[in-house]
Amino acid sequence: MPVEIPSPQPLNPHVAAMQPSATLAMSARAKARRRAGHDVISLSAGEPDFDTPAPVVEAAHQALREGFTHYTPNAGIPELREAIAEKLRRENGLEVEAAQVLCSNGAKQSVAQAVLALCQPGDEVLIPAPYWVSYPEMARLVGATPVIVETTPESHYTMTPEQLDDAITERTRLLVFNSPSNPTGAVYSPEEMAALAEVLQAHERVFVVSDEIYEYVLFDAVHTTFGALPGMAERTVTVNGFSKGYAMTGWRLGYAAGPQWIISAMAKVQSQFTSAPSSITQKAGLAALAMSREPIEEMVAAFRRRRDFMLDRLAHWPEVDCPKPEGAFYLFPDISSHFGRTASDGTVIGGSEDFAMYLLEQHDVATVAGHAFGADYGLRLSYAASMEDLEKAATRIEAALDGLN
Ligand code: PMP
Ligand code: GLU
């Protein structure tokens, strides 16, 4: 349901039309219910439940001890930009210099600044659904029109080149692309992405924001960087960050890299809105890039075990289908065959929001309704939770399904 906030005077109409983040709202609701004394299991938050690796924490302590607590250059400290550029060249095949890297307060800010820099009222922004909740709202904020390209569980939630081609008009300005995907965990293969890039080559006006924040959370798949595909470097802004891969959600560090003119425009916006991310966080980010990959690999191995556990349980849920995700830490089952059923207190489950509220209020499991991701048939389950909690949550969801008439 759209959230309307009453205002005594007119707001900026773009802000009035914007929806608050449903993922953050559901996480807050789960926490509030827990504070009120309920034993809530949260599968709502999109954040690793692991601690930030020790070398990262130590680097932050050191920054504090050394008094590295002042403003840094707007785009980030030179050594961090250089380390990120080096990572992008080495791991992603992107030929970028440090000057083409902009550090921001999270990947969310990086995506928002790219949309702000590139789009204007009247432009169309292509967003494959199910999508991360913030993309359409960012487009709306600049007066652009989100154009949703529907994918399905049958196609493993990937957009085909034909779908992309059909969606492009002379107003299309941007494709917001996200692989591995939040909320589906879908990962595009290199061949699938090359086919999408081929379509875009024929449309010079269309740019890409490639949100690669789940790059390291991959199971049986390989990661492909959109900007490294033929002809795409000149019109792709690659977004990534430290939140997911390094369990650093609270530190707020993300970055964008791409053509200099776009990055410079984004940096101008940042200089007037927020300035650089925290000096301490930047030092922590530098340590993250330098540390051994072992803690990341352990975290991803744990996510894989949890994914497999949840998929096993889900396989027994009546009339619930869920493609096997190859990345990120979400499952996005189709639960729509349970719509129209009634809970013991008479509540009718009309759609995904009712379903999520039923799970939270009557069975103490927090999830996020598919509605917020542009796919009302689904429900997002984050398995970034302990095995013990996942076990309990699965049992509760099974009881919830049994409890519907
Ligand atoms: N993109 C996607 C797809 C996400 O799931 C998230 C999660 N918060 C972000 C961007 C933003 O990450 P952050 O701002 O924490 O770097
Ligand atoms: N991206 C995470 C999620 O989808 C964190 C919340 C947010 O930033 O939206 O749950």
Side-chain angles (χ1 to χ4, degrees), residues 21-24 27 44-47 108 132-134 182 214 244 249 252 329-330 368 373 380:
S21 164
T23 46
L24 295 181
S27 304
S44 62
E47 63 173 334
K108 194 180 256 186
W132 183 43
V133 294
S134 297
N182 176 4
Y214 294 99
K244 317 289 171 169
T249 46
R252 312 308 304 129
F329 35 66
Y330 308 106
V368 187
F373 304 95
R380 190 187 78 172

Side-chain angles (χ1 to χ4, degrees), residues 23-24 46 105-111 132 135 178 180-183 211-214 239-244 248-250 252-255 329-330 380:
T23 46
L24 295 181
N105 298 274
K108 194 180 256 186
Q109 184 181 8
S110 306
V111 177
W132 183 43
Y135 301 147
N178 177 219
S181 150
N182 176 4
D211 179 347
E212 303 184 9
I213 187 105
Y214 294 99
V239 171
N240 207 329
F242 294 75
S243 286
K244 317 289 171 169
M248 288 177 67
T249 46
R252 312 308 304 129
L253 187 59
Y255 56 87
F329 35 66
Y330 308 106
R380 190 187 78 172

Side-chain angles (χ1 to χ4, degrees), residues 35-265:
R35 272 199 305 277
H38 296 266
D39 166 33
V40 177
I41 298 175
S42 182
L43 308 188
S44 62
E47 63 173 334
D49 55 322
F50 293 88
D51 289 334
T52 302
V56 177
V57 175
E58 175 47 31
H61 278 286
Q62 192 180 339
L64 281 167
R65 280 195 303 271
E66 290 174 357
F68 193 74
T69 53
H70 299 273
Y71 289 137
T72 73
N74 174 51
I77 52 176
E79 57 271 44
L80 178 59
R81 295 171 80 193
E82 183 48 63
I84 291 169
E86 198 274 321
K87 177 251 182 252
L88 291 171
R89 288 192 296 265
R90 181 170 35 86
E91 293 183 359
N92 305 91
L94 282 181
E95 284 312 312
V96 287
E97 300 301 324
Q100 292 169 262
V101 173
L102 172 64
C103 302
S104 299
N105 298 274
K108 194 180 256 186
Q109 184 181 8
S110 306
V111 177
Q113 287 178 167
V115 173
L116 200 53
L118 284 166
C119 299
Q120 51 183 302
D123 283 345
E124 293 177 350
V125 177
L126 299 183
I127 305 172
Y131 47 72
W132 183 43
V133 294
S134 297
Y135 301 147
E137 303 308 323
M138 288 170 179
R140 280 191 193 105
L141 189 58
V142 299
T145 307
V147 173
I148 307 305
V149 183
E150 308 281 348
T151 72
T152 60
E154 293 72 42
S155 69
H156 280 239
Y157 297 121
T158 53
M159 173 178 66
T160 64
E162 294 75 29
Q163 281 184 300
L164 175 61
D165 205 25
D166 288 350
I168 295 175
T169 70
E170 73 265 17
R171 296 232 265 243
T172 308
R173 180 59 162 168
L174 194 64
L175 164 66
V176 183
F177 190 79
N178 177 219
S179 173
S181 150
N182 176 4
T184 65
V187 178
Y188 286 72
S189 70
E191 296 74 26
E192 285 168 336
M193 284 178 63
L196 297 177
E198 208 178 308
V199 171
L200 293 180
Q201 278 185 13
H203 300 277
E204 271 184 1
R205 193 177 173 269
V206 184
F207 286 77
V208 181
V209 170
S210 180
D211 179 347
E212 303 184 9
I213 187 105
Y214 294 99
E215 174 185 18
Y216 290 158
V217 190
L218 270 186
F219 310 118
D220 310 301
V222 289
H223 180 69
T224 311
T225 293
F226 214 108
L229 293 167
M232 293 299 109
E234 293 315 308
R235 43 177 148 150
T236 302
V237 176
T238 303
V239 171
N240 207 329
F242 294 75
S243 286
K244 317 289 171 169
Y246 296 96
M248 288 177 67
T249 46
W251 297 74
R252 312 308 304 129
L253 187 59
Y255 56 87
Q260 188 67 63
W261 61 279
I262 306 176
I263 296 298
S264 299

